[in-house]
Amino acid sequence: MTRLAAPLLIILGILVGLSLHTVVNCGDADDPDVCSAVIGFSPLRGPLIAFAYEGRGRIAMRHGDAKVAIADYDQAIRLNPNRAALFRDRGLARQRNGELDAAIADFDQAIALDPKLAAPYANRGLVLAAKGDLDRAILSYNTAIRLAPSDAELRVNRGLALAMQGRSTDARADFEAALALPDGKDGWAHNTARTRLADLENAEPTHVAAP
């Protein structure tokens, strides 16, 4: 190896490392042009460039453009069809776009690829509940809760589905369990649990003693 070759290899290694970092993390920025530049000009191809499409899809979702996000996730999945997170994210985009059956199919595929992730079960439960398929929604929530027992939102969502079925006792148990768990960042789980517990109390018939 010549004296010149070693520094060139070091520089090349640095450039490849920087390129890989940009490919994987371009979605952390809020500028889709960064990901677009990566897709167009990065020397990295194949499954690695799927991260750039995924990143651009996440940016589109943050800006409320589900259709653009779906198109990018389609490309990412074409390049890397074995990544569960891609199907989960495309399912979320399809859900937001009103494509509920397609969203469920994506969550199913995410689960098939990685059955230990709680999020796709939870997401599938939300969509099934929105479609009125409460039995299957509750089954999906059951698995999500088993995988993530400290997630208060899961308890609340299952409680809501149980309440819609008229199973007040079971719903109350879930709302009370949610209040005993750490709340999410926005306080939604605890606020909803308290509100629904109050609703259940108010809905109970008042027993009047016989004279």
Side-chain angles (χ1 to χ4, degrees):
M1 183 180 294
T2 67
R3 291 182 179 180
L4 183 60
L8 286 175
L9 287 174
I10 292 172
I11 293 171
L12 179 61
I14 292 171
L15 291 174
V16 170
L18 289 173
S19 179
L20 178 59
H21 180 272
T22 304
V23 169
V24 173
N25 297 288
C26 72
D28 294 341
D30 204 37
D31 185 358
D33 291 341
V34 175
C35 292
S36 297
V38 169
I39 291 166
F41 301 107
S42 173
L44 301 174
R45 297 287 98 187
L48 280 173
I49 210 68
F51 285 103
Y53 283 106
E54 179 185 3
R56 196 168 66 178
R58 292 204 311 269
I59 293 170
M61 283 291 284
R62 289 201 296 269
H63 287 268
D65 198 336
K67 289 184 178 179
V68 169
I70 291 168
D72 276 327
Y73 291 137
D74 286 345
Q75 292 298 318
I77 287 169
R78 179 180 62 81
L79 292 166
N80 191 358
N82 296 315
R83 182 167 155 78
L86 292 175
F87 286 96
R88 178 202 63 205
D89 289 346
R90 189 175 67 177
L92 290 171
R94 284 175 160 173
Q95 178 184 355
R96 185 176 294 182
N97 202 43
E99 303 172 30
L100 300 187
D101 289 333
I104 291 170
D106 271 345
F107 297 139
D108 286 343
Q109 184 60 27
I111 289 166
L113 289 169
D114 191 347
K116 294 183 179 180
L117 286 176
Y121 293 100
N123 299 139
R124 187 176 65 181
L126 285 171
V127 178
L128 288 168
K131 285 173 60 66
D133 193 345
L134 296 176
D135 286 334
R136 288 179 64 204
I138 291 167
L139 288 174
S140 206
Y141 289 138
N142 289 346
T143 305
I145 290 168
R146 178 174 58 81
L147 293 170
S150 62
D151 191 323
E153 289 193 10
L154 295 177
R155 296 280 184 169
V156 172
N157 284 330
R158 188 175 67 177
L160 293 172
L162 290 166
M164 290 174 69
Q165 286 190 325
R167 297 165 61 181
S168 299
T169 300
D170 293 332
R172 182 181 290 104
D174 265 343
F175 297 141
E176 290 173 347
L179 290 174
L181 294 169
D183 202 358
K185 292 181 180 179
D186 59 1
W188 177 85
H190 281 190
N191 289 336
T192 304
R194 291 190 191 95
T195 300
R196 295 313 302 263
L197 281 171
D199 291 342
L200 289 173
E201 292 295 330
N202 293 333
E204 289 182 353
T206 302
H207 296 285
V208 179

